[in-house]
């Protein structure tokens, strides 16, 4: 979404975490039943909002093989930038501005970007999925910074799950 755009969202009026949770549960349920219109399977332009059409001009895929020592992973470099903005002057950095607005605003942005990824995918717009996924990963890292989550903790959890059936892993989660 456009940075700095002033919009009102349903969750802006929620006063409890339960209300937010229920809203996103309803959203999740409705997304599970999402049907892709025929026009989307032929052309993403038919269902993509007009401001998304710039994604069609995205650069073609390039595969680069780098030596392990050449550059840090893009997510590690992004985290270094996000972490460096924590406590910075909100007037000098979009990330600092988001962080200054608190966890709820950061979580809201993750929800918005995740929804935009879903829309682009449902429309069959791979370039849109790429750009919206980049936005989602950025906002997820901002949320991690806001909540004090270190990416290494997330990576450790992913490593812990490696080699475990998704069905087995999901069954091991507490019911709730």
């Amino acid at each position: 979404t456009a940075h700095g755009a002033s919009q009102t969202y349903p969750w802006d009026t929620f006063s409890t975490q339960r209300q937010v949770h229920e809203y996103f549960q309803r959203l999740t349920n409705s997304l599970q039943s999402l049907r892709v219109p025929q026009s989307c399977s032929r052309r993403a332009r038919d269902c993509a909002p007009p401001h998304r059409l710039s994604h069609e001009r995205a650069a073609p895929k390039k595969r680069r093989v780098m030596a392990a020592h050449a550059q840090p992973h893009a997510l590690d470099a992004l985290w270094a930038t996000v972490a460096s903005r924590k406590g910075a002057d909100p007037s000098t950095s979009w990330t600092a501005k988001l962080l200054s607005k608190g966890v709820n605003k950061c979580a809201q942005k993750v929800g918005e970007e995740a929804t935009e990824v879903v829309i682009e995918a449902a429309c069959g717009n791979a370039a849109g999925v790429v750009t919206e996924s980049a936005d989602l990963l950025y906002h997820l890292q901002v949320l991690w910074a806001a909540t004090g989550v270190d990416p290494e903790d997330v990576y450790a959890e992913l490593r812990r799950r490696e080699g475990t059936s998704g069905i087995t892993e999901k069954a091991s989660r507490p019911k709730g």
Side-chain angles (χ1 to χ4, degrees):
T1 59
H3 297 303
S6 177
Q7 295 177 304
T8 303
Y9 300 95
W11 49 84
D12 290 338
T13 61
F14 298 154
S15 58
T16 66
Q17 284 187 325
R18 181 180 180 93
Q19 289 174 315
V20 173
H21 175 76
E22 289 170 353
Y23 173 80
F24 280 103
Q25 188 61 51
R26 286 192 307 274
L27 178 61
T28 300
N29 291 341
S30 67
L31 289 174
Q32 288 173 346
S33 63
L34 182 67
R35 298 289 182 257
V36 178
Q38 285 297 330
S39 61
C40 287
S41 61
R42 288 190 302 275
R43 287 180 61 138
R45 177 189 314 271
D46 295 336
C47 69
H51 69 283
R52 296 288 175 240
L53 298 180
S54 63
H55 298 320
E56 294 176 353
R57 295 186 296 270
K61 292 180 188 175
K62 292 181 182 177
R63 291 188 181 257
R64 287 185 273 167
V65 178
M66 294 185 190
H69 64 282
Q71 291 183 344
H73 190 278
L75 291 176
D76 294 330
L78 176 60
W79 176 251
T81 300
V82 168
S84 75
R85 300 301 195 271
K86 197 167 183 179
D89 180 357
S91 69
T92 63
S93 161
W94 172 251
T95 302
K97 186 174 182 176
L98 280 173
L99 289 167
S100 73
K101 291 183 178 186
V103 172
N104 288 342
K105 182 64 175 180
C106 295
Q108 173 187 330
K109 293 300 291 180
V110 170
E112 290 171 24
E113 298 302 338
T115 301
E116 291 176 8
V117 171
V118 169
I119 291 167
E120 295 296 344
C123 289
N125 184 359
V129 170
V130 169
T131 57
E132 294 301 340
S133 293
D135 290 347
L136 176 59
L137 289 169
Y138 162 75
H139 284 288
L140 183 59
Q141 288 201 357
V142 171
L143 180 62
W144 290 349
T147 57
V149 170
D150 188 292
E152 272 309 312
D153 296 335
V154 176
Y155 304 153
E157 177 63 13
L158 288 171
R159 285 189 295 273
R160 184 190 68 76
R161 294 180 185 187
E162 200 171 298
T164 303
S165 157
I167 294 170
T168 303
E169 191 282 324
K170 189 165 184 160
S172 71
R173 295 181 194 173
K175 305 292 183 225

